[in-house]
Amino acid sequence: MTTAGMPSHGRDEEDKRAVTMTFRINEHTLNALRDESARKEISLNTLVNQILKRFAEWDMYESKVGIVRLTKPVAIYLFANLDEKQVTDLAKQIGKNAHHDLALFMKHEIDIDSFLAWYETRMRVSSVETNHRFSDGVHSYIMKHELGYNWSLFHKTILETIFMEMFQKSINVAATNTTLSFRVATNY
């Protein structure tokens, strides 16, 4: 994920503050973490921080808000067996409110910035490659996936509906079989 030129809103300062902690870790777990950090060519400290950040931003909420993980083949099959009307109806009738409620619960507020931050995290934890740029007050996202057009259409419909109904903002969303891209202007 790439984020360029983002306004900090105090997040940079929070992210840079580090506290030294000592933990006792099972040897097998530690060896697995060392192997993974070597595979990713990052330090063990960086890997542990990534794991803890993901837990704090997403994992600890999953069971509280009713998130159910699906394997990629199951998601592909489910979306492929819906027609476009069923996909857009699902997005408008259930997906929009579910996304709003999840973002509100996890971020404790709903504005454009908190929603975009939540949505980017949601894509990242769903193994969707995300490229985010911010320039001249415009957020640009490109999200690469292998889940098919209907998955893109589902998220396109949710994004357009949420931005129009909740933020009174139009959003430019393009959907293909393997990508979802959108741009939204903010008032910075």
Side-chain angles (χ1 to χ4, degrees), residues 1-7 11 120 130-134 139 141:
M1 174 187 71
T2 305
T3 304
M6 287 290 298
R11 282 180 244 144
E120 188 171 353
T130 303
N131 185 324
H132 175 205
R133 304 252 188 245
F134 181 79
H139 290 274
Y141 290 88

Side-chain angles (χ1 to χ4, degrees), residues 152 156 160 172-176 179-182:
S152 289
K156 175 185 189 312
E160 289 172 342
N172 225 353
V173 183
T176 72
T179 61
L180 181 72
S181 59
F182 62 94

Side-chain angles (χ1 to χ4, degrees), residues 110-129:
I110 282 286
D111 57 25
I112 290 175
D113 287 330
S114 65
F115 180 78
L116 288 173
W118 174 83
Y119 194 78
E120 188 171 353
T121 300
R122 185 218 184 290
M123 292 297 109
R124 190 175 63 248
V125 301
S126 299
S127 300
V128 173
E129 290 295 322

Side-chain angles (χ1 to χ4, degrees), residues 58-69:
W58 193 267
D59 295 348
M60 73 182 203
Y61 295 108
E62 278 189 340
S63 64
K64 296 175 185 176
V65 296
I67 293 173
V68 177
R69 293 185 187 197

Side-chain angles (χ1 to χ4, degrees), residues 25-45:
I25 299 174
N26 172 284
E27 186 175 2
H28 176 73
T29 302
L30 179 59
N31 289 336
L33 291 171
R34 283 183 174 143
D35 290 346
E36 183 66 7
S37 70
R39 188 187 68 74
K40 288 185 169 186
E41 298 181 349
I42 59 175
S43 71
L44 181 58
N45 186 71

Side-chain angles (χ1 to χ4, degrees), residues 17 34 36 64 96-97 142-143 167 172 180 187:
R17 274 186 272 160
R34 283 183 174 143
E36 183 66 7
K64 296 175 185 176
K96 175 194 69 149
N97 292 332
I142 301 171
M143 298 174 175
F167 305 129
N172 225 353
L180 181 72
N187 300 325

